[in-house]
Amino acid sequence: EPVAMRPFPHSVTNVSFGPDGQTVAAVSRDSTIGIWGFPSGNLVHREEPRRRGRVLCAGVIPTGKAWAASLVSDKAIEIWNVGSSGDERTIEIDREWGPVSSCAFSPDGRVMAFGCANRKVWLVDRASGKAILPPFEMGSDNAAAPDK
């Protein structure tokens, strides 16, 4: 049976499960963030838009903390711990990235993946903000071959 969850005022632009499958994080077009328990559907946290820039994604990491990322300019992404202050950092965007259009957190919360308009996917260490691998490029050999 479907679980009723409090609606967002605008369309949802990103959604993800926490690594334990017990939480769902979502972001709406106006950058409202919601985190629910699953399967209960109980709202755990709701954060109204308070950041500059458009929120790209939100995710829950194994410690139970929720992190979010917003595109604050064509040169920077701000990430923060949802529901707290002072635990923030800025990731500088290299010109090679191109415009960032999406992001996701790894299940352990240590790595972020950024999808860019130039068909590249960058993997970045959340703590340092540094790329950890050369980018994957859609349509290239490194994007087409499955892992073995």
Side-chain angles (χ1 to χ4, degrees):
E1 180 172 322
V3 175
M5 295 185 172
R6 185 173 166 194
F8 278 111
H10 298 280
S11 60
V12 174
T13 58
N14 179 271
V15 65
S16 65
F17 274 98
D20 63 0
Q22 301 296 305
T23 52
V24 176
V27 177
S28 74
R29 187 173 43 108
D30 75 339
S31 295
T32 299
I33 299 168
I35 300 170
W36 293 269
F38 178 77
S40 71
N42 293 331
L43 183 67
V44 175
H45 181 79
R46 182 181 177 99
E47 186 167 296
E48 301 299 325
R50 64 180 178 93
R51 299 282 170 168
R52 56 192 175 115
R54 177 176 59 95
V55 176
L56 296 169
C57 66
V60 179
I61 63 175
T63 62
K65 289 184 177 181
W67 284 83
S70 63
L71 186 62
V72 293
S73 74
D74 61 348
K75 295 182 171 59
I77 293 171
E78 185 178 72
I79 62 171
W80 73 94
N81 185 346
V82 174
S84 69
S85 61
D87 201 0
E88 305 164 351
R89 57 189 58 93
T90 299
I91 296 174
E92 298 298 322
I93 299 173
D94 188 295
R95 276 186 288 170
E96 185 183 348
W97 286 29
V100 175
S101 55
S102 64
C103 72
F105 292 86
S106 65
D108 65 6
R110 295 186 303 186
V111 178
M112 296 183 69
F114 293 100
C116 302
N118 64 1
R119 302 181 348 216
K120 292 182 180 179
V121 176
W122 291 87
L123 300 179
V124 174
D125 178 80
R126 182 177 54 86
S128 71
K130 304 290 183 202
I132 57 175
L133 289 172
F136 305 134
E137 189 165 351
M138 299 301 288
S140 71
D141 289 342
N142 68 2
D147 272 349
K148 295 185 178 173

